[in-house]
Amino acid sequence: MPLTLTRALEAVLDGEDAEALRRATARLIEVYRSGAPPSAQVLRDPVSAAAYAAYRMPATHAAVSRVLRYAAEVVPGLAPRSLVDVGGGTGAAAWAVAEAFPGLGSVEVLDGSADALALGARIARNGPSVLAGARWTRRDLAANAPLPQADLATVSYVLGELPDDLGGRVVDAAMAAAGVVVVVEPGTPRGFAAVHAAREQLLAAGWHLVAPCPHEDACPLAAAGDWCHVGVRLDRTALHRRLKGASLGHEDEKVSYVVARREPAALPEGRVLRHPVTRKGMVRLEVCRADGNAAAEVVSKRQGPRYRAARHAGWGDRWPIGGTDPAD
């Protein structure tokens, strides 16, 4: 059975002081829900790092995994050999990349928290060989030092915690370091604002979008005061439920993201923006379209293959406007 992040977390966190983890988790939740950039290092000690790993790694991993799946659908030949994970903390994004791309040969995780990096390295020793051999490097992003060169740079759950000017410098550094950049933030208005700023910065630098956008025009949701995000459902572990005081066996992580690269990609004709609404004989989709507009589309049973395609469509999926039935 392949090693998984869940098993790795269990192997490393088993035996930790449960009450200390609960207190640290409550503090982290309060910090992240405040919506303001932290004024000090959040993962400031081993207990905070352990709480973060138990509470946030599964959700971050699930979100980045879904984003990478969307990117690979648009660029089927996407196969990075090297990764730099910027602000990677305990390495959740690195786990997602290693699982998505079996040919990955090298990983470097950068973060300002020595405790997060040390814990991430311990967790990674229970994972794939590329993670077990990863480099875990302490780096102050405000220092403006160049990032290590890599095929892929991930910047996940980082920009929203930085001042706007520093966030822009981090995106510039990622573009200088890699041929593909993945930016992931919480699917909130603030998180989307950080993603949208990165999108505009990437486009202004001459980069090309891969996902989620089916076009490179102005974002119609931002123009309307809305925000683009997608929901990712993940199973909660027993430890996760205990730390959050939760009863449900799953949770829905809302995520905003952008993936871009130096070369143009064959973008889809549309992207589903919300959960499709299914009624007898019809499906209503909210779609961002290749022409730069976002609008509702109602697909009826009389439309045959197009209707079957709509019934298979999910929030965040490409919308095959040509009517291809994904079941065929």
Side-chain angles (χ1 to χ4, degrees):
M1 179 179 177
L3 292 168
T4 66
L5 176 59
T6 297
R7 290 174 59 197
L9 287 171
E10 290 172 349
V12 172
L13 299 178
D14 185 43
E16 292 281 343
D17 184 328
E19 183 56 35
L21 288 181
R22 276 194 292 270
R23 289 195 300 268
T25 299
R27 183 180 66 83
L28 291 174
I29 291 173
E30 183 178 351
V31 169
Y32 291 130
R33 284 183 178 172
S34 73
S39 58
Q41 178 63 252
V42 176
L43 306 185
R44 61 194 184 193
D45 53 49
V47 175
S48 296
Y52 179 86
Y55 146 61
R56 282 302 308 164
M57 274 190 84
T60 300
H61 172 267
V64 177
S65 296
R66 178 66 60 86
V67 167
L68 295 175
R69 191 194 82 190
Y70 290 145
E73 288 173 350
V74 176
V75 184
L78 189 62
R81 297 285 301 168
S82 54
L83 166 70
V84 57
D85 185 12
V86 183
T90 51
W95 275 81
V97 175
E99 292 169 354
F101 303 110
L104 191 69
S106 68
V107 171
E108 184 160 2
V109 181
L110 310 177
D111 199 83
S113 169
D115 292 305
L117 293 167
L119 180 60
R122 287 175 57 204
I123 295 168
R125 287 196 286 271
N126 294 275
S129 59
V130 68
L131 293 176
R135 296 181 297 278
W136 300 79
T137 305
R138 192 172 186 182
R139 173 73 63 88
D140 180 1
L141 296 179
N144 293 328
L147 299 177
Q149 295 292 302
D151 295 334
L152 172 65
T154 50
V155 187
S156 66
Y157 295 84
V158 174
L159 298 183
E161 298 181 13
L162 302 175
D164 292 343
D165 60 335
L166 179 53
R169 297 202 301 272
V170 168
V171 173
D172 278 337
M175 286 191 284
V180 179
V181 171
V182 175
V183 175
V184 181
E185 288 291 320
T188 62
R190 178 179 174 81
F192 172 66
V195 169
H196 182 253
R199 177 190 190 269
E200 298 307 288
Q201 188 174 345
L202 289 157
L203 288 173
W207 279 51
H208 298 278
L209 302 184
V210 172
C213 313
H215 60 83
E216 295 183 344
D217 298 326
C219 173
L221 271 67
D226 201 349
W227 69 98
C228 182
H229 63 293
V230 66
V232 180
R233 177 158 290 188
L234 65 141
D235 293 331
R236 286 176 170 147
T237 65
L239 176 59
H240 198 173
R241 292 197 300 273
R242 288 198 301 273
L243 291 180
K244 296 187 75 172
S247 58
L248 290 177
H250 66 269
E251 70 177 52
D252 293 314
E253 175 77 0
K254 302 296 194 304
V255 59
S256 293
Y257 74 96
V258 64
V259 181
R261 67 175 188 169
R262 298 181 190 276
E263 301 83 17
L267 298 178
E269 295 180 75
R271 181 76 65 178
V272 179
L273 294 174
R274 298 285 187 272
H275 280 303
V277 177
T278 303
R279 298 287 185 266
K280 184 175 181 180
M282 60 80 70
V283 180
R284 187 180 189 274
L285 305 172
E286 295 288 338
V287 180
C288 187
R289 304 177 184 279
D291 63 6
N293 294 309
E297 178 174 343
V298 177
V299 184
S300 74
K301 193 171 184 179
R302 293 191 300 273
Q303 292 172 271
R306 190 180 186 85
Y307 172 72
R308 291 193 295 273
R311 285 180 60 84
H312 284 87
W315 186 7
D317 288 351
R318 296 176 298 170
W319 170 232
I321 290 177
T324 302
D325 185 348
D328 287 346

